[in-house]
Amino acid sequence: MTTAVAVCDSCTKARYRPAQRADELLRPLLPAMVPWLAGRRWFAHERGCLQELRPVTSTVIPLDPSDPDSPVLVHAVMVARHSTNATHRYQLLLGVRRGLPERLAPALIGQAVGGEWDGRMVYEATADPELMSRLLEWTALGGSDSLRLSRPDAAPIPLDLPPHPLSVEQSNTSVVYGDRLMLKLLRRPEPGLHPEVEVLGALTEVGSTRTTRLLGWLSTGDGDGESTVLGILTEFLPAHGSGWDMAVGHAADCLTGGRRAVPTIGGFTSDALALGEAVAELHAALAQAFGVTRMAPDEVDELTDGMQRRLRAAVRAVPELEPYAGRIATLYQDFGKVALRGRGVDGQRIHGDLHLGQVLSGDAGWKIIDFEGEPSKPVAERGRPEPALRDVAGMLRSFDYAAQQALGETLRREGGTEQPADGEPSAARLRRIRRAQAWAVRNRRAFNAGYAAAGGTDPHCHPVALRAFEADKAVYEAVYESQHRPEWLPIPMSAVQRLVSGR
Ligand SMILES: Nc1ncnc2c1ncn2[C@@H]1O[C@H](COP(=O)(O)OP(=O)(O)O)[C@@H](O)[C@H]1O
Ligand SMILES: O=P(O)(O)O[C@H]1O[C@H](CO)[C@@H](O[C@H]2O[C@H](CO)[C@@H](O)[C@H](O)[C@H]2O)[C@H](O)[C@H]1O
């Protein structure tokens, strides 16, 4: 399924609704902003046209307040309303300059029309080191009611570090200062406490070394008193690589390497073991910070009801899931029965969206990042106590993804990914497929062994729970892939087939 594209010609004429001074300020930037906005990865492509952009807050920060020609940072939180009445909130950081230096040309959005900046260039300000330095300095030195930096302690923040934007395209935009600090600017901020600020703050307080230290957060007051977190300032971790890149690289080597068997140890297996240990340590720190509770029967029911609801919605969105829906539902029911028997099941704060792309390997071992929780869940639900094995299941799915990604790349390189029309795959192709499966199995086992050895609940002792959580994750992934990367849909679908057939 592909999501309908939100922006057509009439979207670019979206009405601009005034809100005090912000109207005068932002109106001249609107003609350039709307079509650009629609092209961002973080823009919500709703069905129906974009109808209205309403500024909630706006802040103007000139680079040099004494110079009327100075480059200016225009910071705004805007609400976009679509013809379906769906609304989304965005954080925009716009640079305004008389002329755009060559190095900023790729960041150009358009030209201001009218107002005090008539004819000036409007561009994505996160690409401009001068404006990003100014943002950190200005907020660290006090900011304003609409844009301020809060800090968990009084440790000084170095303000002279050269900034550069992180090149990976993500849901948010991150700026790195001198390879020491990282400011993640949330593109779709919501009023209220942000899960990542809450979790990183608590982990920093209990002294966890498995994640980045929280140094501060940018936020705004929204007039009604509820503040909105706009950015998260943490230490930056110079990493050897993300778990995802490392795992796919190792899996590809294993597929094409000369060894006759997938090694039990070595390759990525020792990293997977260490990663299991790191996740167990993270869970222990989360338990220390937020507590652990035995889940009451109604909480278990709520959990399994949620999984069943999600399955029904997923089947509507991804019809390919329909033939498996009954057997998936049975896996969830089986988990519900097991969880209500014996000593029950513990719930605690978890990561919520743990996968190989959320872990970084560095000199101090594995670090775990991005505590926003699972994007499909409402923010209020993301902090609920859950069995820690849900994170384990997320990571196990990721080993499968890495093996399948490496397999796809290898087969493509070797020519032709399609199953031959005569139905008989070549012996070489079969060997690659089996190797990929074996790589995933070995690394999943190593991860589980590390997790149990470092004090986590032994995943092998909870096969029913693990299977249910893996199925739930694969169902979520099927929806995610169908919406974002339809060519990846076969990966979660093959996991669904495996899980319902008891393999
Ligand atoms: N503290 C950090 N140190 C180094 N790199 C980081 C750090 N946090 C995130 N990254 C890098 O930035 C990328 C995006 O970060 P993430 O928090 O996952 O953002 P998003 O919410 O936009 O997905 C990560 O995949 C990782 O490569
Ligand atoms: O962007 P986020 O990190 O918040 O997570 C979302 O996107 C992920 C893909 O970028 C998606 O993860 C899925 O693909 C990964 C490989 O690209 C794989 O490692 C994960 O196991 C798989 O779930 C994630 O589910 C989604 O929430």
Side-chain angles (χ1 to χ4, degrees):
M1 193 203 81
T2 46
T3 321
V5 173
V7 170
C8 61
D9 280 353
S10 66
C11 293
T12 60
K13 301 183 189 85
R15 194 158 57 89
Y16 186 82
R17 204 169 92 182
Q20 300 157 356
R21 272 196 61 234
D23 178 40
E24 284 154 44
L25 212 63
L26 291 165
R27 187 193 293 274
L29 310 183
L30 188 71
M33 214 155 64
V34 173
W36 171 83
L37 189 60
R40 300 306 94 199
R41 171 174 165 180
W42 35 265
F43 182 78
H45 285 273
E46 282 289 337
R47 291 169 202 282
C49 280
L50 179 60
Q51 294 272 291
E52 181 181 278
L53 272 175
R54 179 169 57 87
V56 180
T57 63
S58 62
T59 311
V60 174
I61 310 170
L63 199 55
D64 176 358
S66 64
D67 176 4
D69 272 350
S70 160
V72 171
L73 170 64
V74 180
H75 178 278
V77 175
M78 316 273 290
V79 171
R81 189 172 58 75
H82 294 255
S83 51
T84 53
N85 264 341
T87 58
H88 297 282
R89 196 174 277 242
Y90 298 101
Q91 173 174 202
L92 303 178
L93 295 106
L94 306 170
V96 181
R97 281 182 184 253
R98 215 173 257 297
L100 210 55
E102 192 58 34
R103 65 193 157 79
L104 290 175
L108 178 67
I109 296 174
Q111 263 183 302
V113 180
E116 63 178 295
W117 295 315
D118 188 31
R120 290 200 196 179
M121 301 297 172
V122 183
Y123 60 99
E124 168 57 45
T126 57
D128 185 340
E130 285 179 298
L131 291 185
M132 287 303 99
S133 275
R134 179 82 177 117
L135 173 69
L136 187 60
E137 178 202 53
W138 189 82
T139 53
L141 296 178
S144 70
D145 192 40
S146 59
L147 186 60
R148 57 176 178 252
L149 181 70
S150 306
R151 317 237 312 258
D153 55 43
I157 292 179
L159 298 176
D160 54 353
L161 301 169
H164 67 89
L166 204 67
S167 50
V168 275
E169 203 199 23
Q170 296 286 346
S171 325
N172 298 300
T173 304
S174 295
V175 179
V176 175
Y177 292 83
D179 280 357
R180 284 180 57 196
L181 311 179
M182 177 164 155
L183 178 61
K184 176 156 92 171
L185 295 154
L186 304 173
R187 286 306 192 164
R188 293 175 57 182
E190 290 296 331
L193 187 57
H194 189 273
E196 188 155 8
V197 170
E198 191 189 7
V199 171
L200 283 185
L203 289 174
T204 301
E205 215 163 276
V206 298
S208 169
T209 55
R210 286 301 177 188
T211 189
T212 48
R213 212 155 59 83
L214 179 70
L215 302 172
W217 60 96
L218 285 184
S219 64
T220 174
D222 273 358
D224 57 2
E226 191 168 28
S227 165
T228 298
V229 175
L230 298 168
I232 300 164
L233 186 67
T234 59
E235 59 179 344
F236 181 74
L237 305 169
H240 306 318
S242 82
W244 173 253
D245 293 336
M246 287 170 67
V248 174
H250 277 286
D253 287 350
C254 169
L255 291 183
T256 50
R259 285 173 193 264
R260 296 189 57 193
V262 179
T264 317
I265 205 76
F268 193 68
T269 327
S270 43
D271 297 293
L273 187 101
L275 182 55
E277 291 167 352
V279 172
E281 282 174 32
L282 172 77
H283 281 158
L286 286 169
Q288 188 187 345
F290 295 96
V292 180
T293 49
R294 183 68 41 82
M295 292 181 78
D298 59 332
E299 287 174 316
V300 172
D301 286 346
E302 204 178 312
L303 179 65
T304 49
D305 286 353
M307 288 156 71
Q308 300 283 13
R309 252 197 322 278
R310 194 142 87 143
L311 173 61
R312 287 193 292 275
V315 170
R316 285 194 293 277
V318 187
E320 290 90 330
L321 285 168
E322 171 73 57
Y324 308 101
R327 282 175 288 164
I328 300 173
T330 307
L331 296 181
Y332 299 167
Q333 282 161 9
D334 290 348
F335 161 68
K337 285 182 203 149
V338 168
L340 294 173
R341 270 205 316 255
R343 73 176 284 284
V345 60
D346 286 341
Q348 67 159 93
R349 188 78 190 231
I350 62 169
H351 181 283
D353 189 24
L354 194 60
H355 58 84
L356 285 163
Q358 311 278 41
V359 294
L360 301 173
S361 166
D363 291 337
W366 287 108
K367 300 263 185 175
I368 295 136
I369 56 167
D370 199 357
F371 287 83
E372 280 189 74
E374 200 175 86
S376 71
K377 286 190 179 159
V379 171
E381 278 178 29
R382 297 191 204 164
R384 284 192 189 155
E386 299 244 32
L389 283 181
R390 264 168 107 69
D391 278 348
V392 171
M395 196 56 95
L396 295 182
R397 290 284 318 114
S398 214
F399 286 114
D400 187 32
Y401 256 81
Q404 294 301 320
Q405 169 70 0
L407 177 65
E409 278 173 12
T410 305
L411 294 179
R412 259 192 302 281
R413 220 180 20 251
E414 291 176 348
T417 50
E418 298 304 315
Q419 177 81 12
D422 59 13
E424 278 303 305
S426 70
R429 186 187 164 91
L430 270 180
R431 203 164 43 243
R432 303 265 182 267
I433 294 171
R434 293 210 184 100
R435 276 271 173 118
Q437 287 164 346
W439 185 92
V441 168
R442 284 255 190 266
N443 284 285
R444 286 159 58 98
R445 279 193 195 141
F447 176 84
N448 283 344
Y451 186 77
T457 310
D458 188 348
H460 286 123
C461 299
H462 300 276
V464 176
L466 208 55
R467 190 171 287 271
F469 296 152
E470 268 202 76
D472 182 50
K473 192 71 186 182
V475 166
Y476 163 79
E477 288 168 344
V479 176
Y480 179 88
E481 300 304 357
S482 72
Q483 289 178 346
H484 298 276
R485 309 180 289 198
E487 68 285 6
W488 289 50
L489 181 59
I491 299 182
M493 286 308 300
S494 71
V496 166
Q497 283 160 18
R498 173 174 61 79
L499 289 159
V500 297
S501 56
R503 283 182 282 131

